[in-house]
Amino acid sequence: MLAKRIIPCLDIKDGQTVKGTHFVNLRQAGDPIELGKAYSEQGADELVYLDITASHEGRKTFTELVKRIAAHISIPFTVGGGIHELADVDRLLNAGADKVSINSAALRRPGLVDEIARHFGSQVCVVAIDARQTPQGWKCFLNGGRVETDRYLFEWAREVNDRGAGEILFTSMDHDGVKTGYANRALARLSDELDIPVIASGGAGQKEHFKEAFVEGKADAALAASVFHFGEIPIPTLKEYLRKEGIAVRL
């Protein structure tokens, strides 16, 4: 059995880590390099850094930050935000990132997924999907959850799977920051329908929620932010708990 991965997520705004609820009401959570180093030392399997205000100036600043992260952190890390073309991917990989995460750009131009997979390999391409339940079903949202699209979660996930994405990072916007557990039914359906790993995001508040994401949601990895940033669930404690519950994790 492949080990399940624990992935802290660091949202970056103006060079600092921030965290919100339902994608709004952001508060400061600390220095991204110091946090990343601490998570690496505590046993995180990977990290995700998202530039949530990726303006042109922000992209330059973020590239410099990625170089500094790569110099200080020994575990794989994914970066996202403001990635629209192959040149952006090239820039971030050259700065030291292991993978890139694309979201809005992929919805606007799905061929970007094919291009990244073809040029850099599927393992580099993580497609992030922000979705929430509507009366019509699970709909995908653009621009950090601000703009509803006409795309549905499961058909879009299947399309990017077929286009060559290496992983899906699924965030339930309804669950984001409220700490009541992941969207496990949707996760399980994604895991059943796709050929690639699914990362659960949105809803972690207790150790049990990670177990549920792996058992009920069949997720390959679980991503969380505030429970790690604010010291609510130490990663070593979480991994010991999961191991005792019979879930394969790297200690």
Side-chain angles (χ1 to χ4, degrees), residues 69 78 85 108 179 204 224 232:
I69 292 164
T78 301
E85 57 188 4
R108 290 195 179 100
K179 302 184 180 180
E232 295 161 32

Side-chain angles (χ1 to χ4, degrees), residues 21-248:
T21 303
H22 299 309
F23 289 38
V24 295
N25 302 324
L26 301 177
R27 58 177 171 147
Q28 294 277 344
D31 178 79
I33 295 174
E34 291 307 313
L35 277 173
K37 279 172 62 180
Y39 294 145
S40 177
E41 289 159 7
Q42 288 168 23
D45 297 292
E46 297 178 23
L47 299 171
V48 171
Y49 286 90
L50 299 177
D51 181 0
I52 61 171
T53 52
S55 65
H56 175 65
E57 199 55 42
R59 279 207 290 277
K60 287 187 201 162
T61 309
F62 192 57
T63 306
E64 289 307 310
L65 178 63
V66 169
K67 288 179 183 172
R68 288 164 49 217
I69 292 164
H72 288 91
I73 288 168
S74 57
I75 58 175
F77 69 98
T78 301
V79 296
I83 296 169
H84 302 289
E85 57 188 4
L86 289 180
D88 296 323
V89 180
D90 197 45
R91 172 171 50 81
L92 292 164
L93 294 178
N94 282 329
D98 297 278
K99 309 178 200 175
V100 296
S101 169
I102 55 172
N103 187 338
S104 300
L107 279 160
R108 290 195 179 100
R109 189 167 72 82
L112 181 60
V113 178
D114 307 66
E115 291 172 16
I116 294 171
R118 199 162 52 242
H119 281 79
F120 302 105
S122 290
Q123 77 284 352
V124 161
C125 185
V126 179
V127 174
I129 304 177
D130 298 333
R132 70 166 17 127
Q133 281 190 300
T134 72
Q136 296 78 40
W138 280 93
K139 297 287 282 287
C140 302
F141 282 70
L142 287 166
N143 293 11
R146 295 180 190 89
V147 180
E148 184 175 332
T149 73
D150 60 358
R151 300 305 302 260
Y152 289 90
L153 168 63
F154 300 105
E155 65 166 11
W156 174 234
R158 167 52 66 186
E159 179 176 334
V160 298
N161 178 113
D162 294 345
R163 285 179 177 274
E167 291 183 287
I168 298 285
L169 168 54
F170 162 53
T171 301
S172 166
M173 295 169 60
D174 300 314
H175 294 71
D176 178 66
V178 296
K179 302 184 180 180
T180 54
Y182 294 93
N184 292 318
R185 285 177 64 184
L187 279 167
R189 183 173 164 189
L190 286 170
S191 296
D192 286 340
E193 292 185 6
L194 303 180
D195 309 315
I196 56 177
V198 177
I199 304 168
S201 170
Q206 302 168 15
K207 298 191 297 291
E208 291 77 13
H209 294 155
F210 290 86
K211 175 189 171 187
E212 289 160 7
F214 294 137
V215 176
E216 295 167 28
K218 306 180 186 178
D220 298 276
L223 177 146
S226 58
V227 293
F228 298 141
H229 300 340
F230 303 117
E232 295 161 32
I233 304 178
I235 292 170
T237 305
L238 172 61
K239 286 195 158 187
E240 289 284 0
Y241 161 79
L242 291 171
R243 176 66 66 88
K244 284 180 182 151
E245 293 294 316
I247 292 162

